Amino acid sequence: MVRRLVVVGTPARQGPSSLLLAQRPSGLVAMRSSHDVVMAEKNREKRLILTDAMALLYRSHFAFPHSNNHRLTTTKGRDTTVEFGFLSTLLSLLELMPHPTHMAVVFDASGKTFRHELYQGYKGQRPPAPEEVVDAIPVVLEVLKAMNVTSVRVPGVEADDVIGTLARRAVEEENMTVAVASPDKDFFQLLRPGLILLRPPKKNQYYDASQKYSLVPYTEDDFVEEWQGLVPSQFVDVLALMGDYSDNVPGVPGIGPKMAVSLLKQFGALEEVLVRRDEATPKRAATALATDDAVAAARLSKQLVELRTDVDVPATNIDIDAALRLSVPEDGGREVWRLFRELEFASHEKRLRALWNTDSYTFM
């Protein structure tokens, strides 16, 4: 059985390209042929997309910098670039064929988490969020509510850990096909049968300029190919060794991505690397790992980069099937049409009306 999907778009106003869905015995697979991506599922009729809200809000903001005069504004002069880009991406996710049956948009809450307690410098180098992103959040939340799409925000817990927990539960307990929509490489560690990522394409994957901001499937097989035969569960150890500048995770000084991969191919896991560090090759790897400080930095870094998939709070203990199921809101869309018109998002209204007219959506 072959089904079709559209490419997941972002702020660029682009026409849909097709993805192919096909049955494969191995479960969930992605293959690429020109403009097509093949995603396969087996015995999974429920399809959940978990969206990393802050990452996509930032991406929408920086896709159109102020310097090039490409910001989007209403006739009253209101900058709606971030809102437009984020909602364009969201609609493209909803337009995937077969349509997702479930969705959650997960936001980071303000305040510190257990990682800040472990390491005071965690994310310490990051500047404050751009004003446009901050201002867009309440607008996006209002639109999501009007669309009847669930948003999740847990004080004291990073969005990544909420997504990790919901993703694991959905695959293991609900037998769902899960896609995590985010450019964040930390989610590599979640890849498994039944779970893929939707990520920005590499530059050499751009099909044309209009698709520069698309999201494309990234699977377990893609990871193995990119990371020279490692498996996704080893990515935590890669980050523990090389560090992660974006989150100010220290890693081991002197060890970069290539050396981290080489060490894990030699020894398999971080602890084995540390226990047998005198045997590490090349010699500069053994030298970098020789001190107690290096060992401590690696172990601390692993604690910082490993996603939790066991968050035990009401927001992650929900009935996923019931709480995250997509449906047309009770008002038939009156509130979201009002918001779209206020924002002057006529194209978004047209797309959502077309989406809700499909057989995949039912009135509550």
Side-chain angles (χ1 to χ4, degrees):
M1 180 171 58
V2 178
R3 302 167 180 169
R4 295 206 173 259
L5 290 170
V6 298
V7 166
V8 183
T10 54
R13 300 174 189 246
Q14 61 194 50
S17 296
S18 65
L19 307 181
L20 297 177
L21 211 75
Q23 295 292 346
R24 292 290 172 113
S26 58
L28 191 64
V29 182
M31 296 181 293
R32 294 173 177 78
S33 174
S34 183
H35 288 52
D36 293 330
V37 176
V38 179
M39 231 167 58
E41 57 178 307
K42 181 183 180 184
N43 300 325
R44 295 180 187 269
E45 295 302 322
K46 299 174 183 177
R47 297 171 295 278
L48 168 65
I49 295 180
L50 297 168
T51 304
D52 181 359
M54 296 308 299
L56 295 182
L57 285 166
Y58 270 83
R59 191 163 179 256
S60 297
H61 173 65
F62 289 110
F64 294 94
H66 291 279
S67 58
N68 64 11
N69 297 318
H70 286 164
R71 304 293 291 185
L72 302 175
T73 58
T74 66
T75 54
K76 296 181 179 179
R78 175 180 178 181
D79 187 331
T80 56
T81 305
V82 178
E83 295 93 324
F84 181 90
F86 180 89
L87 293 170
S88 181
T89 301
L90 187 82
L91 286 168
S92 293
L93 291 169
L94 293 171
E95 288 166 343
L96 289 170
M97 291 292 292
H99 296 304
T101 57
H102 299 72
M103 176 177 278
V105 180
V106 186
F107 291 78
D108 278 311
S110 58
K112 297 185 181 298
T113 71
F114 79 93
R115 292 183 177 89
H116 294 93
E117 296 175 4
L118 285 172
Y119 180 53
Q120 189 174 1
Y122 181 65
K123 294 187 177 181
Q125 87 290 9
R126 291 190 178 184
E131 182 180 348
E132 295 88 347
V133 172
V134 174
D135 291 345
I137 293 173
V139 178
V140 167
L141 286 169
E142 189 175 10
V143 173
L144 290 173
K145 182 178 180 181
M147 289 175 62
N148 205 28
V149 173
T150 300
S151 60
V152 182
R153 181 185 289 181
V154 181
V157 182
E158 287 192 59
D160 292 8
D161 297 319
V162 175
I163 289 172
T165 300
L166 291 174
R168 179 195 59 77
R169 287 194 56 218
V171 172
E172 293 180 0
E173 300 172 18
E174 302 289 342
N175 196 36
M176 289 182 172
T177 296
V178 176
V180 175
S182 174
D184 191 341
K185 65 182 179 298
D186 291 347
F187 290 116
F188 286 167
Q189 62 193 272
L190 297 181
L191 289 166
R192 57 190 292 182
L195 195 156
I196 69 167
L197 306 181
L198 293 167
R199 291 178 47 77
K202 296 179 181 179
K203 289 184 179 181
N204 61 1
Q205 290 178 304
Y206 293 161
Y207 304 131
D208 55 57
S210 69
Q211 293 177 337
K212 180 178 179 182
Y213 301 105
S214 65
L215 301 179
V216 299
Y218 186 93
T219 70
E220 192 173 8
D221 288 343
D222 293 319
F223 177 90
V224 172
E225 180 180 355
E226 180 178 357
W227 292 89
Q228 302 176 38
L230 298 185
V231 297
S233 60
Q234 291 177 293
F235 191 66
V236 173
D237 292 348
V238 172
L239 290 177
L241 288 165
M242 63 178 267
D244 184 357
Y245 174 79
S246 65
D247 289 338
N248 203 32
V249 173
V252 178
I255 294 183
K258 290 183 180 179
M259 190 177 292
V261 170
S262 176
L263 288 167
L264 289 169
K265 290 176 76 172
Q266 290 177 56
F267 300 110
L270 177 65
E271 281 305 312
E272 193 69 11
V273 171
L274 299 180
V275 169
R276 299 172 58 189
R277 58 189 184 275
D278 292 344
E279 304 171 31
T281 57
K283 186 176 181 179
R284 66 179 184 275
T287 301
L289 291 163
T291 67
D292 291 342
D293 285 346
V295 172
R299 288 178 173 147
L300 170 64
S301 296
K302 181 165 182 173
Q303 289 180 282
L304 295 173
V305 299
E306 189 166 23
L307 297 186
R308 291 185 57 187
T309 60
D310 60 350
V311 175
D312 185 12
V313 297
T316 55
N317 290 331
I318 55 173
D319 180 337
I320 292 177
D321 188 16
L324 304 186
R325 182 171 289 276
L326 291 165
S327 63
V328 177
E330 290 181 330
D331 69 356
R334 286 191 300 274
E335 177 62 8
V336 76
W337 308 146
R338 182 191 70 78
L339 290 168
F340 279 165
R341 289 163 189 169
E342 180 181 303
L343 294 165
E344 300 177 10
F345 290 171
S347 62
H348 288 6
E349 179 175 345
K350 182 179 179 180
R351 291 170 67 185
L352 187 56
R353 284 185 181 275
L355 184 66
W356 281 351
N357 282 331
T358 64
D359 293 339
S360 298
Y361 284 81
T362 57
F363 285 85
M364 296 179 64

